[in-house]
Amino acid sequence: MASVQISDVRKSFGGFEVLHGVTVPIEDGAFVVLVGPSGCGKSTLLRMLAGLERITSGTISIGERVVNDVQPKERDIAMVFQNYALYPHMTVAQNMGFSLKLRGADQNAIDSKVNRAADILDLRQLLDRFPRQLSGGQRQRVAMGRAIVRDPQVFLFDEPLSNLDAKLRVAMRTEIKELHQRLKTTTVYVTHDQIEAMTMADKIVVMHDGIVEQIGAPLELYDRPDNKFVAGFIGSPAMNFLDGTLKVNGGAPYVETANGAKLPLVDAPAASNGRPVSYGIRPEHLAFADSGIEAEVAVVEPTGSETQIVARVGNQEMIAVFRERHPIAPGDRIHLQPRPDVAHLFDRDNGQRLRA
Amino acid sequence: MTTIQMQGQTHSGPSTWQRLRTSRNFIALWFMLPAAAFLILFLAYPLFLGVWMSFTDARIGRAGIFVGLENYEWLWGDSIFWLSVFNTILYTTVASAIKFAVGLYLALLLNRHMPFKAIIRAAVLVPFIVPTVLSAIAFWWIYDAQFSIISWSLIKLGVIHENINFLGDDNWARASVIFANIWRGVPFVAITLLAGLQTVSPSLYEAATLDGATAWQRFRYITYPLLTPIIAVVMTFSVLFTFTDFQLIWALTRGGPVNATHLMATLSYQRGILSGRLGEGAAIATAMIPFLLAAIAISWFGMQRRKWQQGTDND
């Protein structure tokens, strides 16, 4: 086990820079998730960590050692690929033992390590099968087994669950988390799915267009997003943003929208009266009320445990989620009351969070 | 009219015709018939005729009568026939082995990222595209006893002092035709293996790299085993084409000097058509069949062994 330090790492393909100076500290034993939309550079960063891509500038250290010029096999890392990358012509046992075989370990040592990993992942019955004969979830477990057998300093996961169906994905999510709690190996996990990030991570790194937008614990990102991007990316359904003008003149501050709705706030930065802002409010923080933002219901989507409402406010769309079952139908005019204590305020020009 | 009749019959369950009409197998049979007819007419029938002819003493202009194994008995004692068998096996073995080695090497090379990849790949195909007879004529000049560019270059370089008699000396002639065959056959092997290489997922190489494999180990444990199915197919074809080669030999040497490059195919043509002894020529051609079947059998059983390619139900 080891800590990982990514310092001001840049990556260019040809003349095109895709990572613009990324710094991520990863503590020993942590489960860190790199999350972001496709093309944000998260996979590239992981591949640089693995040694599959060269680092254009900056340094990556594993433990005390800078690994920029260290061969992948010498980095003592193990990676689980999105498509599992199991060797189709080898049995499960051979797949898992391949790295040990290459290192020249004797067959008894290989067998005992493979068996131990197979016990952890419940693969004992499948050791003689070929990847072709396995289901998606089983292949996923074999890929993890291959990583475990090596007993590496760091586990790398590259979108490992995206080829699985929804139900299996949830199950494997739990399994990976349990595995980490058991082995306590430093893990870097790449995904585009913010739910995966929220549920699994000790620490989330939100990336966007080659930069780190925010690093923090899952609930920290949820409760106090640094900017509009993180606010919109974390949480499902996504946070609503309403553009307006900040009003701070005695009394409680509020945001007034173009069509005259008043959005309540608990506090606001001083001396910012008249500032153009984005008012952010999560769907679950909107209450069905007699007063508040007036909206016209467009779509009602009940999921059983909760009901999601898509409503129009002027020319903007808002989403609200209620746990109660209100009698709402498309076309109804309703009032949505934001909870001021959990409202977020962002600068409209640069999207940064405004702190009181 | 048929439709009306059938509607009348539907009351007492579907008729035989109706059941046939909706049977997938029956329809498949109909679709296969034209292809099967072509194969039977132009492949199976001539083959059968050839085998039959080898049991007769047919000559050009004379139908011939059944003589049993007489032609084969005659060939058994014919040293030229055995020489042609030896030549054919030598030609096939050496040419196929080298074609495989060079083809695989080229395929691995072409599978890398390099500048002008598309042009280089196209260039590799040239020997395959040029008509055999045309390339044979080019080789004929290259191997010419007086004007050979190889001899000329080597003399100028001071390596040798007189022209090499490429097509006039037994062993030189064999080597020369084998070289020409390799030159022609390499692109087929290289491009087919390249296609096979491209089906190997790059992430397997990455996984192997992380597992600690060197370039040689990646080839030995990943590329080669994953390529074996396509190697089996491409080498079967290559062996079949080489074993039955006729054009190149006929254009370059006509089997000479003194039968040193006669293959079974060229000997069969010479005896059967040029000398007019159809029965004997057919016997030589028929004698090739066991060799070809053996080649197919080897690759067939080679392919059967690979359990990992097969379906899901063989635990």
Side-chain angles (χ1 to χ4, degrees), chain B residues 220-278:
Chain B
R220 166 73 185 77
Y221 294 112
I222 310 295
T223 314
Y224 184 74
L226 290 179
L227 218 51
T228 41
I230 198 135
I231 289 174
V233 172
V234 76
M235 288 321 292
T236 308
F237 275 97
S238 180
V239 165
L240 296 190
F241 291 153
T242 315
F243 198 88
T244 56
D245 195 10
F246 172 82
Q247 289 187 68
L248 200 63
I249 300 290
W250 200 252
L252 277 176
T253 64
R254 311 230 157 178
V258 205
N259 304 318
T261 60
H262 246 317
L263 301 186
M264 291 169 87
T266 52
L267 189 67
S268 157
Y269 177 77
Q270 195 185 49
R271 296 271 172 91
I273 306 295
L274 298 185
S275 311
R277 298 198 295 275
L278 289 174

Side-chain angles (χ1 to χ4, degrees), chain A residues 32-291:
Chain A
V32 171
V33 174
L34 306 179
V35 67
S38 48
C40 71
K42 55 190 190 296
S43 284
T44 306
L45 187 61
L46 191 79
R47 292 169 58 82
M48 287 160 89
L49 195 48
L52 297 172
E53 298 278 356
R54 285 204 60 79
I55 300 162
T56 307
S57 78
T59 59
I60 293 180
S61 319
I62 297 174
E64 299 299 305
R65 182 170 63 148
V66 175
V67 294
N68 284 35
D69 296 315
V70 176
Q71 288 294 311
K73 65 170 175 172
E74 256 119 64
R75 294 189 181 197
D76 205 4
I77 40 122
M79 184 156 165
V80 176
F81 290 81
Q82 180 173 357
N83 61 0
Y84 319 133
L86 299 179
Y87 310 121
H89 56 296
M90 298 185 197
T91 62
V92 168
Q94 287 167 337
N95 260 286
M96 287 172 39
F98 187 57
S99 61
L100 300 175
K101 184 179 163 189
L102 290 177
R103 277 189 225 160
D106 71 278
Q107 196 57 43
N108 289 335
I110 295 177
D111 287 345
S112 80
K113 283 197 172 187
V114 166
N115 286 336
R116 196 183 60 107
D119 287 340
I120 293 173
L121 293 163
D122 196 17
L123 287 170
R124 244 322 182 8
Q125 317 301 318
L126 306 176
L127 284 176
D128 293 327
R129 301 238 189 143
F130 289 98
R132 264 216 147 163
Q133 302 164 297
L134 303 178
S135 69
Q138 290 169 337
R139 286 180 204 183
Q140 175 64 59
R141 283 216 295 275
V142 175
M144 291 200 294
R146 198 165 61 174
I148 292 171
V149 162
R150 302 192 36 198
D151 194 17
Q153 303 257 20
V154 184
F155 280 132
L156 305 178
F157 287 87
D158 187 9
E159 309 222 12
L161 304 184
S162 47
N163 285 3
L164 301 178
D165 66 62
K167 203 168 178 181
L168 200 52
R169 201 177 306 160
V170 174
M172 289 307 295
R173 204 162 77 190
T174 318
E175 210 165 298
I176 293 176
K177 197 169 176 176
E178 270 174 5
L179 188 68
H180 176 254
Q181 281 163 3
R182 182 165 169 185
L183 301 176
K184 299 195 167 49
T185 307
T186 312
T187 302
V188 183
Y189 185 106
V190 162
T191 179
H192 60 265
D193 181 352
Q194 57 94 19
I195 300 270
E196 260 174 47
M198 291 292 286
T199 49
M200 297 170 85
D202 297 328
K203 184 157 94 174
I204 298 180
V205 179
V206 182
M207 295 182 66
H208 180 220
D209 282 347
I211 59 162
V212 171
E213 294 278 3
Q214 189 173 358
I215 300 178
L219 292 180
E220 199 178 310
L221 298 192
Y222 184 84
D223 292 337
R224 297 188 60 79
D226 272 352
N227 51 49
K228 252 177 100 169
F229 178 79
V230 176
F233 193 79
I234 300 291
S236 172
M239 187 186 281
N240 298 297
F241 296 106
L242 295 166
D243 287 346
T245 314
L246 187 59
K247 301 284 182 190
V248 195
N249 33 12
Y254 61 92
V255 173
E256 189 171 340
T257 64
N259 55 357
K262 290 187 171 64
L263 311 170
L265 288 166
V266 172
D267 49 14
S272 52
N273 191 26
R275 184 169 181 171
V277 294
S278 272
Y279 182 88
I281 186 78
R282 294 201 181 274
E284 55 272 36
H285 295 151
L286 286 165
F288 184 65
D290 296 331
S291 64

Side-chain angles (χ1 to χ4, degrees), chain B residues 83 86-88 90-92 94-95 136 139-140 142-145 150-151 163-182 245 248-263 266:
Chain B
L83 181 64
F86 167 77
N87 285 339
T88 310
L90 179 80
Y91 185 75
T92 308
V94 174
F139 271 109
W140 199 49
I142 291 171
Y143 294 148
D144 191 274
I150 303 173
S151 295
N163 279 359
I164 299 170
N165 191 3
F166 280 110
L167 299 179
D169 173 83
D170 284 14
N171 289 329
W172 274 114
R174 285 183 183 132
S176 300
V177 291
I178 287 174
F179 181 84
N181 179 277
I182 291 168
D245 195 10
L248 200 63
I249 300 290
W250 200 252
L252 277 176
T253 64
R254 311 230 157 178
V258 205
N259 304 318
T261 60
H262 246 317
L263 301 186
T266 52

Side-chain angles (χ1 to χ4, degrees), chain B residues 1-314:
Chain B
M1 282 200 320
T2 28
T3 341
I4 297 166
Q5 279 173 356
M6 272 165 16
Q7 273 169 352
Q9 287 168 355
T10 45
H11 294 290
S12 54
S15 69
T16 316
W17 167 241
Q18 252 185 336
R19 265 186 288 121
L20 274 179
R21 220 170 52 132
T22 50
S23 154
R24 292 175 64 93
N25 289 338
F26 185 69
I27 292 169
L29 183 71
W30 275 107
F31 274 99
M32 281 193 299
L33 266 184
F38 268 102
L39 287 176
I40 289 167
L41 191 61
F42 295 112
L43 229 73
Y45 174 64
L47 182 68
F48 168 77
L49 215 57
V51 174
W52 167 251
M53 203 182 266
S54 73
F55 295 116
T56 70
D57 63 350
R59 285 166 179 268
I60 290 180
R62 198 186 76 190
I65 52 158
F66 183 79
V67 294
L69 293 171
E70 202 173 285
N71 284 321
Y72 294 97
E73 282 162 18
W74 166 250
L75 286 175
W76 190 263
D78 178 6
S79 64
I80 296 175
F81 168 73
W82 286 112
L83 181 64
S84 81
V85 172
F86 167 77
N87 285 339
T88 310
I89 292 172
L90 179 80
Y91 185 75
T92 308
T93 316
V94 174
S96 296
I98 298 179
K99 274 189 275 193
F100 171 64
V102 176
L104 182 59
Y105 177 74
L106 264 180
L108 291 169
L109 216 59
L110 291 175
N111 197 33
R112 289 163 166 249
H113 290 288
M114 56 178 165
F116 309 113
K117 192 158 72 176
I119 294 174
I120 296 171
R121 281 185 189 173
V124 166
L125 274 176
V126 165
F128 193 52
I129 299 163
V130 179
T132 312
V133 174
L134 208 65
S135 50
I137 290 170
F139 271 109
W140 199 49
W141 277 108
I142 291 171
Y143 294 148
D144 191 274
Q146 283 180 48
F147 306 112
S148 164
I149 188 167
I150 303 173
S151 295
W152 182 84
S153 310
L154 291 176
I155 287 170
K156 289 282 170 196
L157 285 170
V159 180
I160 54 171
H161 299 291
E162 55 187 45
N163 279 359
I164 299 170
N165 191 3
F166 280 110
L167 299 179
D169 173 83
D170 284 14
N171 289 329
W172 274 114
R174 285 183 183 132
S176 300
V177 291
I178 287 174
F179 181 84
N181 179 277
I182 291 168
W183 181 82
R184 242 193 96 63
V186 157
F188 171 69
V189 177
I191 293 295
T192 315
L193 291 183
L194 176 63
L197 281 178
Q198 288 177 340
T199 63
V200 179
S201 161
S203 62
L204 290 184
Y205 295 122
E206 292 181 343
T209 305
L210 293 180
D211 275 344
T214 60
W216 163 249
Q217 287 171 324
R218 286 200 293 277
F219 175 78
R220 166 73 185 77
Y221 294 112
I222 310 295
T223 314
Y224 184 74
L226 290 179
L227 218 51
T228 41
I230 198 135
I231 289 174
V233 172
V234 76
M235 288 321 292
T236 308
F237 275 97
S238 180
V239 165
L240 296 190
F241 291 153
T242 315
F243 198 88
T244 56
D245 195 10
F246 172 82
Q247 289 187 68
L248 200 63
I249 300 290
W250 200 252
L252 277 176
T253 64
R254 311 230 157 178
V258 205
N259 304 318
T261 60
H262 246 317
L263 301 186
M264 291 169 87
T266 52
L267 189 67
S268 157
Y269 177 77
Q270 195 185 49
R271 296 271 172 91
I273 306 295
L274 298 185
S275 311
R277 298 198 295 275
L278 289 174
E280 195 185 326
I284 297 172
T286 305
M288 293 166 77
I289 294 175
F291 291 99
L292 298 174
L293 287 179
I296 293 170
I298 288 169
S299 82
W300 172 256
F301 289 114
M303 280 192 277
Q304 284 233 315
R305 258 201 352 237
R306 274 179 290 283
K307 203 171 154 190
W308 57 269
Q309 287 182 297
Q310 293 163 6
T312 51
D313 52 349
N314 51 350

